[in-house]
Amino acid sequence: MNDSNIAIDTTLCLACGNCVDRCIMDNLRLSLPPCRQASPLGVNYQGIARLLSSGKEEEAARELRRSTPFGGLLSALSDPYAEKACSLGQSGGALRFADLLRYLVAAQPGIVYGAETNRLPSSSKKAAVIGAGPAGLQAAWILRMSGADVTVFEAAPEAGMTLTRIPAEEAGENDALPAVPAEIMEKTLAMLQGAGIHFLTSCPKGQAELESLCTEYDAVLCACGKGAVLPADKNGYVKDNLFAAGTCVKNQKSLSPLQAMASASKAAHAARNLLEGFDIDYESDERTARGLERFAGLGDREIAEVAPVTPASKLYTEEEARAEASRCLGCGRPYERNKTCWYCLPCEVVCPTQALHVRIPYLIR
């Protein structure tokens, strides 16, 4: 597929956005595939599938880790939003993202659960997260990656119990909701603790304790479900240094684990902005650092309720995983918007699969 100055091999493109990041003339945009637009966590399934189909398991695992540190949880919970949006659903069955992730997590646990390799910025700020469910874990990771010293308070005896055990009062309605295996949760928590996140379990913190926590910590993010109900704006900001996510937000309907994590991402980025001295609504998260308009289709969106995906009865073999991944249509691709190409080639150089080629005019070449 060609624009005036670039040619894209859609069979190789990962839709990773490296070229968009690197373009010094702000010429490129990335048209995101429907699956990534619909995924509450914005997971780059196209890139993962492309790498898996070519036998590059380690690179696929790194792409998953780049999208989210919670690949293990995602493989257990599935992402029905992405599967429903998959273009293949119109022609015989969407790509089975959950089964591909299950295979990848089992094949490359060292990368999926490995220690964070990026050097964390130095910060003297302290942040508290109330609740160690899906929203709390997501918020804690984002705040820790900003360099803050993060402490997570959990009322239950163990962190993550809302994911590993379905509450009895909800079992009747959510029998199909997959619980996260204890082994996956243990490895996920070990990864978070290895990154320097502190967990205090059997330590309930409700609405009554918020004032004292806000005095002790530079930022407090409440993600304890119905343990506290707070009026928050679209960024999860309540007041002063207090933030809320998930069903802690007043008038918020019930959320799936992935929706709760998406809500926590927004609130945690707002809290991070506060800690770093930016305006709370400064769009500096991974989705917007390159410019929100540079990612066509990715922005605030209402995600409809979708039934959970039933995983395959057994783990894919390598051949089965590659065959399933090869079904990906590669819907996402970069394109030119401003026609300001300088033929400087950084976009071509950073493409990890050599999918992008700059069409240099004959006289310049």
Side-chain angles (χ1 to χ4, degrees):
M1 299 181 69
N2 300 329
D3 286 332
S4 59
N5 297 307
I6 63 171
I8 305 296
D9 185 343
T10 56
T11 65
L12 297 176
C13 182
L14 305 181
C16 59
N18 288 354
C19 55
V20 178
D21 275 342
R22 189 55 63 92
C23 180
I24 64 174
M25 294 304 296
D26 193 32
N27 180 39
L28 296 180
R29 299 291 183 268
L30 183 64
S31 177
L32 290 174
C35 56
R36 187 173 174 187
Q37 292 182 41
S39 172
L41 300 183
V43 177
N44 184 16
Y45 290 111
Q46 176 176 324
I48 294 168
R50 280 281 184 256
L51 291 166
L52 262 181
S53 66
S54 58
K56 299 177 180 178
E57 287 184 1
E58 290 188 12
E59 290 88 340
R62 290 191 182 94
E63 187 62 34
L64 172 60
R65 180 61 183 260
R66 191 173 84 143
S67 293
T68 174
F70 300 107
L73 300 184
L74 192 59
S75 70
L77 295 169
S78 82
D79 192 340
Y81 312 98
E83 294 205 7
K84 183 178 181 181
C86 178
S87 300
L88 282 169
Q90 305 171 13
S91 58
L95 208 63
R96 298 189 65 85
F97 299 120
D99 291 325
L100 291 177
L101 293 187
R102 287 176 63 213
Y103 168 78
L104 195 56
V105 169
Q108 298 292 334
I111 295 175
V112 175
Y113 300 112
E116 179 58 31
T117 56
N118 293 326
R119 184 176 180 180
L120 300 183
S122 176
S123 174
S124 60
K125 302 294 185 180
K126 296 196 305 178
V129 176
I130 305 174
L137 298 182
Q138 177 79 5
W141 177 266
I142 292 173
L143 291 170
R144 180 62 188 133
M145 290 304 102
S146 73
D149 183 8
V150 179
T151 301
V152 180
F153 296 91
E154 171 56 45
E158 300 174 13
M161 287 184 65
T162 56
L163 288 170
T164 56
R165 303 178 187 179
I166 301 174
E169 64 272 16
E170 298 179 11
E173 297 180 3
N174 296 312
D175 286 333
L177 181 66
V180 175
E183 180 185 4
I184 288 180
M185 181 55 67
E186 289 171 4
K187 291 180 178 179
T188 300
L189 292 175
M191 175 192 67
L192 297 175
Q193 291 169 328
I197 298 173
H198 313 291
F199 289 89
L200 298 180
T201 55
S202 299
C203 189
K205 297 289 182 181
Q207 206 151 345
E209 291 83 15
L210 290 179
E211 185 173 347
S212 61
L213 284 174
C214 288
T215 301
E216 182 179 354
Y217 290 88
D218 298 293
V220 176
L221 195 151
C222 191
C224 56
K226 296 298 183 180
V229 180
L230 303 169
D233 66 12
K234 65 178 183 178
N235 296 310
Y237 176 64
V238 180
K239 64 176 182 178
D240 300 327
N241 60 338
L242 178 61
F243 300 81
T247 50
C248 278
V249 178
K250 188 176 182 180
N251 298 324
Q252 175 62 60
K253 62 181 181 180
S254 61
L255 298 173
S256 71
L258 294 191
Q259 288 174 317
M261 293 172 80
S263 171
S265 291
K266 184 173 291 188
H269 282 116
R272 185 184 70 180
N273 287 341
L274 174 72
L275 296 177
E276 295 178 350
F278 295 108
D279 290 337
I280 287 174
D281 59 354
Y282 175 68
E283 295 179 334
S284 62
D285 65 303
E286 189 273 337
R287 296 185 176 194
T288 57
R290 306 160 184 160
L292 184 60
E293 78 284 355
R294 302 173 81 177
F295 289 83
L298 182 60
D300 293 335
R301 58 199 181 280
E302 186 69 25
I303 301 174
E305 290 298 326
V306 182
V309 176
T310 302
S313 57
K314 63 178 182 178
L315 198 66
Y316 277 158
T317 64
E318 180 180 351
E319 292 74 18
E320 289 171 335
R322 291 184 65 173
E324 178 64 20
S326 66
R327 296 176 56 229
C328 178
L329 298 177
C331 303
R333 63 176 291 268
Y335 65 94
E336 287 188 276
R337 179 179 179 183
N338 298 325
K339 311 300 181 186
T340 54
C341 183
W342 271 14
Y343 313 108
C344 54
L345 301 183
C347 59
E348 184 175 301
V349 171
V350 299
C351 180
T353 59
Q354 298 181 327
L356 185 149
H357 174 65
V358 178
R359 298 157 57 91
I360 302 177
Y362 173 75
L363 291 178
I364 296 179
R365 189 182 295 275

